Amino acid sequence: MTEIFEAIKISAIRIREAIEFDDTGYSKDHNATGDTQLKLDIKSDIIIEEEFRKVLSIKEIVSEEKDDKTPLHLDGKYLIGYDPLDGSSLIDVNLSVGSIFGIYEGGYAGANLIASVYVVYGPRVELVIATDKVRMYRLNQNNEFIYLKDIVLNQQGKLNAPGSTQMCWEPKHKQMIDDIFKDGYRLRYSGGMVPDLHQILLKGGGLFSYPSTSDVPKGKLRLIFEVFPFAFVFEKAGGASIDGQKRILDLVPSHPHDTSPCFFGSKNEIQRVLEVYGRK
Ligand code: F6P
């Protein structure tokens, strides 16, 4: 899989340059979920596809920016689901954004995920690779990703990142979030999944939630490109992730763009969600 990680590193360096200097405006196109695509979404997708085409071990790719799967190499072994530029509308206000990759073998289900990678484009560019462990790298002035440390979550954290808007939350969700704040947790939510989860991972733990809401009952975040890869990272870092009741990595999507409610966190916070959502 080293050649896949290398292709991701090259893509990240090219995307970082586009973020810094390209036009941040909208294109005239929409993606499969109906979001208007930024020119940068399209460019990042093209960059990643170009780099993945050079890797013979990749059988097929599926991008958040495309309606369907793209076959690459017939004899390849790996399938990659990716979100080229998550949170891209935040670039306009100069907040951090990211790229997310799930590397699958045998099909796009949580159980088939064998590695995941994400890149944070912030004041610094950081890359996190989860396989058996979760390893973090930072880009230096020579365009090399230098290993910094392994990421390991505490049993319990201090941060709370509640997604969507209170107006659309179920009463039990609102009660749970209020209770968490009453226990002293701090609000940390930028609206970018990658930097928000990265912060929880680096600051020892906490909870990120994007529940079922009145406007999106099946959740907003996409299983193959966003939810599975981060569920893998959280488990390998010693945390957990669930859809409310079930372990995320046990879910099987029926369509590339399927979404799911999701909760990522350290073990104690996920136990707390299970207690609230497990109740009838
Ligand atoms: O992928 C969509 C996304 O931008 C995520 O990066 C982020 O976590 C989420 O949407 C934010 O959604 P909301 O504004 O509804 O909380």
Side-chain angles (χ1 to χ4, degrees):
M1 255 183 313
T2 319
E3 66 285 6
I4 297 178
F5 299 148
E6 289 310 309
I8 292 175
K9 288 177 188 171
I10 296 167
S11 306
I13 292 165
R14 293 180 61 191
I15 293 171
R16 193 273 302 258
E17 202 179 304
I19 293 171
E20 282 189 11
F21 304 114
D22 279 24
D23 180 359
T24 60
Y26 283 99
S27 72
K28 293 193 184 78
D29 304 323
H30 292 82
N31 65 16
T33 329
D35 308 324
T36 314
Q37 289 170 304
L38 288 174
K39 291 178 195 162
L40 276 169
D41 289 320
I42 298 170
K43 179 156 180 182
S44 305
D45 193 31
I46 292 171
I47 289 174
I48 292 169
E49 185 173 330
E50 272 174 16
E51 296 304 329
F52 281 168
R53 278 195 183 278
K54 299 176 193 164
V55 182
L56 297 180
S57 62
I58 305 177
K59 190 183 181 68
E60 185 183 275
I61 54 177
V62 55
S63 162
E64 202 242 10
E65 298 302 333
K66 292 209 183 70
D67 292 348
D68 231 321
K69 303 164 185 167
T70 309
L72 289 193
H73 304 290
L74 220 58
D75 295 331
K77 183 170 166 193
Y78 302 112
L79 314 170
I80 305 185
Y82 64 95
D83 185 348
L85 201 53
D86 186 75
S88 52
S89 63
L90 297 174
I91 294 173
D92 239 5
V93 290
N94 211 6
L95 285 175
S96 300
V97 293
S99 302
I100 315 168
F101 305 84
I103 301 160
Y104 301 83
E105 209 180 319
Y108 299 96
N112 296 335
L113 200 51
I114 50 169
S116 61
V117 181
Y118 68 86
V119 185
V120 190
Y121 309 98
R124 309 262 177 119
V125 179
E126 290 176 344
L127 175 118
V128 173
I129 299 180
T131 49
D132 54 331
K133 297 207 279 179
V134 183
R135 296 174 176 86
M136 175 179 157
Y137 303 80
R138 185 177 284 160
L139 192 66
N140 72 7
Q141 59 272 47
N142 303 319
N143 271 346
E144 300 154 334
F145 281 96
I146 305 297
Y147 170 79
L148 274 191
K149 60 175 177 179
D150 286 1
I151 299 180
V152 181
L153 282 163
N154 296 334
Q155 183 74 19
Q156 185 168 323
K158 298 191 183 84
L159 305 183
N160 190 18
S164 179
T165 165
Q166 300 200 25
M167 204 176 72
C168 299
W169 291 349
E170 283 183 74
K172 70 175 174 199
H173 187 75
K174 176 157 172 42
Q175 186 63 55
M176 181 182 80
I177 297 294
D178 286 349
D179 290 345
I180 290 174
F181 280 128
K182 277 189 202 128
D183 288 345
Y185 282 72
R186 289 184 183 274
L187 174 66
R188 291 290 182 268
Y189 193 77
S190 73
M193 182 185 195
V194 178
D196 288 339
L197 286 171
H198 191 55
Q199 179 162 210
I200 289 175
L201 285 159
L202 290 185
K203 304 261 184 195
L207 179 68
F208 174 101
S209 46
Y210 209 109
S212 162
T213 57
S214 55
D215 56 342
V216 279
K218 291 189 176 161
K220 176 182 185 188
L221 301 176
R222 283 145 283 218
L223 277 166
I224 292 176
F225 325 111
E226 297 168 312
V227 178
F228 284 150
F230 269 112
F232 191 84
V233 173
F234 270 73
E235 287 201 4
K236 295 295 178 187
S241 77
I242 55 170
D243 69 352
Q245 280 91 14
K246 287 191 253 63
R247 178 176 171 250
I248 292 282
L249 293 178
D250 288 335
L251 303 177
V252 182
S254 47
H255 184 275
H257 291 270
D258 276 359
T259 58
S260 171
C262 53
F263 300 83
F264 304 92
S266 13
K267 291 240 169 87
N268 286 7
E269 284 83 358
I270 294 298
Q271 186 51 39
R272 189 166 187 165
V273 177
L274 270 174
E275 278 157 23
V276 171
Y277 274 79
R279 266 181 238 141
K280 289 283 157 222

